[in-house]
Amino acid sequence: MVILYVTLIVVALCLAICFVILRYRSVEVRRRKDKLREALWFRNHRIPLIIEMAERGGLKSEVSQKIIELRAAAANGAYSLAEQMELERKLTHLLFEFLKVTKATPGLKSDPLFLSLEQEHSKVLEHIRITLNDYNFALQQFHGYARLPWFAIFAFLFEIRRDRVLEPV
């Protein structure tokens, strides 16, 4: 009888440990998702400065209007993270096209304010890339644990189980 009680206690402890590990991993994924959203927010609030500098330099472009529309859609925040990352990919592509045209503009080529803004934008993109890699890594760790039999018992409790790894911007 004592052996049965000890076995039940050990099984309950193992299950509790499995739950705690999954809970820790899910909190880590959520924390990294928040950091990624914050990095995207920071980038989206730098875009008007880039467009304004280009327009002050005499550049009028249809691409800038598309960028503003995509930025507004991405800033809405009503999308899942995967949908938002798809919008961000499109926005990044348009921004690179816009910056390529802007660099060719004689007035902005040597403007130190615009060059520093462009450099800051590239640092923000690097930060987004790093936070996206961190998010993907944490999500892969969660899914790795959730596939194990003892952990799979609790995996249904966490919404993160539906999240998928995101492609880079």
Side-chain angles (χ1 to χ4, degrees):
M1 197 64 164
V2 172
I3 294 175
L4 179 64
Y5 288 134
V6 170
T7 305
L8 287 175
I9 290 171
V10 168
V11 168
L13 282 174
C14 288
L15 288 174
I17 290 170
C18 290
F19 176 79
V20 167
I21 290 172
L22 271 183
R23 176 79 179 143
Y24 170 76
R25 290 293 168 201
S26 72
V27 167
E28 187 68 22
V29 170
R30 199 171 307 125
R31 191 172 63 86
R32 294 192 182 184
K33 182 189 282 189
D34 291 342
K35 283 186 176 186
L36 179 59
R37 286 188 190 271
E38 180 182 310
L40 293 172
W41 179 88
F42 190 74
R43 198 272 300 259
N44 282 339
H45 283 75
R46 294 289 183 255
I47 291 172
L49 294 173
I50 294 171
I51 292 174
E52 182 182 336
M53 285 291 299
E55 287 176 353
R56 256 196 270 157
L59 180 68
K60 298 285 185 192
S61 174
E62 292 176 12
V63 176
S64 65
Q65 187 61 34
K66 290 179 186 176
I67 290 172
I68 291 170
E69 290 170 4
L70 266 177
R71 177 189 173 269
N76 184 6
Y79 300 102
S80 70
L81 189 58
E83 293 167 338
Q84 186 176 0
M85 288 305 295
E86 184 59 37
L87 285 173
E88 294 293 336
R89 262 191 289 291
K90 291 175 185 175
L91 186 58
T92 300
H93 177 71
L94 283 175
L95 265 174
F96 276 127
E97 282 182 25
F98 184 71
L99 288 174
K100 200 182 303 181
V101 170
T102 306
K103 283 181 188 177
T105 305
L108 294 173
K109 234 186 234 187
S110 60
D111 185 2
L113 185 58
F114 182 76
L115 292 175
S116 68
L117 193 59
E118 183 182 22
Q119 187 177 27
E120 182 181 337
H121 179 71
S122 65
K123 286 180 184 177
V124 169
L125 282 180
E126 181 64 21
H127 180 64
I128 289 172
R129 188 186 64 77
I130 290 169
T131 55
L132 179 61
N133 287 342
D134 289 346
Y135 169 77
N136 284 338
F137 180 73
L139 191 62
Q140 287 170 345
Q141 283 186 325
F142 176 84
H143 286 305
Y145 279 109
R147 279 191 220 95
L148 298 173
W150 283 80
F151 293 91
I153 296 169
F154 299 108
F156 72 93
L157 296 173
F158 301 97
E159 290 180 25
I160 293 169
R161 73 183 186 283
R162 296 185 195 113
D163 290 353
R164 299 291 171 245
V165 172
L166 301 173
E167 295 179 28
V169 176

